[in-house]
Amino acid sequence: MKGDILAAIENKTANVVVLGLGYVGLPVACLFAEAGFPVVGIRRSQDKVELVNRGICPIEGKEPGLADLLARVVSEGQFRATVDYEVCREAQAVLIAVETPVDPVTKKPDYQALRGALTNLGNNLSPGTMVIVESTIAPGTMERVVKPILEETSGLRANEDFYLVNCPERVMPGKLLRNIRECARVVGGMTPEAAQLAVALYRHVVQADLDPADCLTAELVKTMENAYRDVQIAFANEMALLCENMGADVWQVRELVNKSPYRAMHLPGAGVGGHCIPKDPWLLIANASDGFEPRLTHAARAINDGMPLHMVNLTIEALQEVGVGVADAKVGVLGYAYQENSDDARNSPSEVLVARLRELGAEVVIHDPWVPEYRGSLEERVPGCDVIVVMVAHDVYRAVDLSELRVQVARPILVDGRHVFSTEQARAAGWDYRGVGQG
Ligand code: SAJ
């Protein structure tokens, strides 16, 4: 089994299939195609398949190099997309990059997309294929979910008839191609042989370390690194609340804290969004057995989930000071993506803020230069607003002339959740300014 696939990987004749062409699957598919492999991507929506086959990039945020690379590898016939899983029959390597959210209530993994992809793949799996899960999954999932479904649907045996690998992605919007090329990767094989084969494959696109390990280690590393980031952000957010409480400026404090050795206090802000940090801590602890008590993981989630609601409170306080009830207010929200300069609005903190403000009776208008639903000019959105709430640090907002904006709104009240502006700058332009972490 090994001889054939290794040779095909080394001479780049291995057929690579990527299941899921989103922020994870599309860039990695393009990079393997650029490296010379024949690549087919599978996506459920026929529209997006047609877009890709016309060489048009469905990801709209600022993604340096991705649109050009996609257009090139499609025009060179190195990469195409389809909805048809039968292409897996000819594949030597299949990468799985589908969404793995958690249930919003139970916080347990929701593997609907993963199970669907595994079942479709299993029905089209050929002996000798290497299956690599790039999606972030709860520790234990390769053994408990991935292996059984593939064995049941294919009638083949893992580690004997096909290889299983967990090589978690480390992509970030705005740096999709760069992160794949330059970030080290953990390559978790269900057998050492599988790990070595995957290292041989990724060596063609990853210029950084490829660290072989077992599947459980890879699953733990990925979910833990994101839970670690969540805890670091939660600390920064709690310190912001403390600075507000004591009348200090968290940004000044943070700057000076980070001057002491080995400190790297993260950025406090309006909340933690995206498909990764808000859910990966729940994946991390999902399969822990009785006797393990995840106190810090829970606390961090609670603090970070609370920040958009804290932004609501700051907004209500600012309005009250000018005698306006939230139910009578028109609120202008700047930013709906979860990250600056991205069109990705998954688990966006703005969604929580907007829902709560509307629940309280406020009229809410939303602007975002990248999220298609909320595009358009700022000048069209903000007239008549009693308060402007900044939720995302898009470059476009950093460039806003606050004096010009001032004349368009009904009341010059600015609540800044991302330190886009400084107190001095805002006050000099005649705004009543309040920012997260600034008491
Ligand atoms: N955020 C803060 N303060 C900070 C950093 C981030 O409030 O100091 C907020 C952001 O505004 C955003 C959220 O947290 O709403 C997540 O931001 P992020 O920079 O972590 O971006 P992601 O979720 O796209 O990327 C993370 C990264 N993980 C780590 O850095 C450990 C990335 O490397 C992963 O590849 C990605 O998750 C993933 O796909 O798992």
Side-chain angles (χ1 to χ4, degrees), residues 56-106:
I56 299 169
C57 184
I59 295 175
E60 301 201 27
K62 272 192 183 172
E63 278 312 335
L66 185 58
D68 296 345
L69 178 57
L70 173 68
R72 180 155 53 83
V73 291
V74 169
S75 66
E76 289 166 358
Q78 215 48 48
F79 174 48
R80 68 180 179 89
T82 179
V83 294
D84 186 354
Y85 271 81
E86 281 204 11
V87 291
C88 296
R89 294 179 188 201
E90 307 311 316
Q92 273 81 42
V94 178
L95 280 61
I96 300 179
V98 297
E99 286 204 325
T100 50
V102 294
D103 179 280
V105 179
T106 65

Side-chain angles (χ1 to χ4, degrees), residues 165-185:
V165 173
N166 176 231
C167 182
E169 53 81 13
R170 282 183 165 153
V171 299
M172 247 170 141
K175 307 177 185 125
L176 294 178
L177 292 178
R178 197 185 83 187
N179 273 26
I180 295 172
R181 289 185 178 120
E182 298 174 14
C183 285
R185 299 283 289 272

Side-chain angles (χ1 to χ4, degrees), residues 334-337 339-340 350 368 390-394 397 418 420:
L334 301 194
Y336 203 82
Q339 184 86 291
E340 55 267 21
S350 303
D368 191 298
V390 182
M391 290 297 284
V392 186
H394 289 309
Y397 297 147
R418 299 287 179 190
V420 167

Side-chain angles (χ1 to χ4, degrees), residues 24 136 169-173 175 179 183 222 224-230 232-234 236-237 254 265-280 304 337-340 344 346-349 391-393 417-418:
V24 175
T136 304
E169 53 81 13
R170 282 183 165 153
V171 299
M172 247 170 141
K175 307 177 185 125
N179 273 26
C183 285
K222 178 57 201 277
M224 214 178 274
E225 71 191 41
N226 277 353
Y228 178 46
R229 187 166 177 79
D230 197 41
Q232 288 174 307
I233 299 168
N237 283 330
R254 175 182 170 273
M265 191 169 152
H266 276 43
L267 302 166
V272 172
H275 183 59
C276 311
I277 308 291
K279 59 108 180 165
D280 290 355
N304 291 339
Y338 85 86
Q339 184 86 291
E340 55 267 21
D344 190 345
R346 288 175 295 176
N347 299 320
S348 162
M391 290 297 284
V392 186
R418 299 287 179 190

Side-chain angles (χ1 to χ4, degrees), residues 93-97 130-134 163 165-167 198 201-202:
V94 178
L95 280 61
I96 300 179
M130 172 166 57
V131 177
I132 303 172
V133 176
E134 288 220 357
Y163 298 98
V165 173
N166 176 231
C167 182
L201 179 71
Y202 279 98

